[in-house]
Amino acid sequence: RAAAKRAQQRADLSSSPEWKAFQDALDAAACFAADLDSLGAMAREAQEERSSSREAEVNRSLAGYAGLIAGESAGLDVRVRVKRTPKGLSYDIEDSGGGRALSILNQASLNAISLALLFAQAEERARAGLPIFVVLDDPEQSLDDEHRVGLARAIEKIGAICPVIVGLTPGKLADWLMARSALPRRAIRLAPRDAKAGVQIEATEER
């Protein structure tokens, strides 16, 4: 009798308007979940496609900037490699043989590659029409005079594409940028910090 009663209750429930509305809501939720899954797959595919495109664009510029900064004789033949993992995309710097380049380079070469990568990414964004400007804070550390001249040329190259702000102490790189660069430029020299007034501009020079 109890089993018959439960069967009758289930039959009564399935025929009620509320049960039908509940089933319709479950079906709609299932369809929505399927749509979300499809949209997620499309987003991942678009991200991978865009990432591959950016990887190719950046690598086209990376070698050129690395050669400018470090000199062609340094042989910094490196490229960005995008790796797809279960958690998303990761990036690494590889040499021409596919090995990890960062673990075998000295500090000067690492700095040169870091700057070259920054310039290459900025160039790719600028050419894609995205707003971009480059800010460099004491970029000449660990660089010798030859590398400083190469860095100045790389700054001049990226400066033709987007604005560049360089924070420097007076020295050869600052002199090179102001004396030899063909681009419009402005040097702002800061006065020693005052305890009451803070940091103030001491002089401005435009060329």
Side-chain angles (χ1 to χ4, degrees), residues 188-194 196-203:
I188 299 174
R189 187 168 65 249
L190 300 180
R193 187 181 186 281
D194 183 87
K196 294 182 179 179
V199 178
Q200 294 182 315
I201 294 175
E202 183 178 275

Side-chain angles (χ1 to χ4, degrees), residues 54-68:
R54 287 201 67 191
E55 179 184 354
E57 289 294 331
V58 167
N59 282 330
R60 269 193 280 272
S61 304
L62 179 58
Y65 283 110
L68 273 178

Side-chain angles (χ1 to χ4, degrees), residues 19 72 80 82 87 113 134 159 175 177:
W19 178 260
E72 297 297 338
V80 177
V82 179
K87 294 184 178 180
I113 289 176
V134 175
D175 294 341
L177 289 173

Side-chain angles (χ1 to χ4, degrees), residues 39-132:
L39 287 172
M42 292 171 61
R44 287 190 295 272
E45 183 179 344
Q47 181 191 27
E48 290 189 5
E49 182 178 346
R50 173 62 179 152
S51 179
S52 297
S53 175
R54 287 201 67 191
E55 179 184 354
E57 289 294 331
V58 167
N59 282 330
R60 269 193 280 272
S61 304
L62 179 58
Y65 283 110
L68 273 178
I69 298 171
E72 297 297 338
S73 60
L76 291 182
D77 185 10
V78 294
R79 60 186 54 82
V80 177
R81 183 68 63 199
V82 179
K83 298 181 180 179
R84 290 153 184 83
T85 68
K87 294 184 178 180
L89 300 177
S90 66
Y91 301 85
D92 204 352
I93 304 294
E94 295 183 349
D95 58 24
S96 57
R100 295 190 74 245
L102 298 184
S103 60
I104 60 174
L105 297 174
N106 59 33
Q107 190 60 49
S109 295
L110 286 174
N111 288 355
I113 289 176
S114 298
L115 291 165
L117 183 58
L118 173 65
F119 295 157
Q121 289 176 319
E123 182 175 316
E124 187 274 333
R125 283 179 56 85
R127 295 194 186 283
L130 299 172
I132 185 68

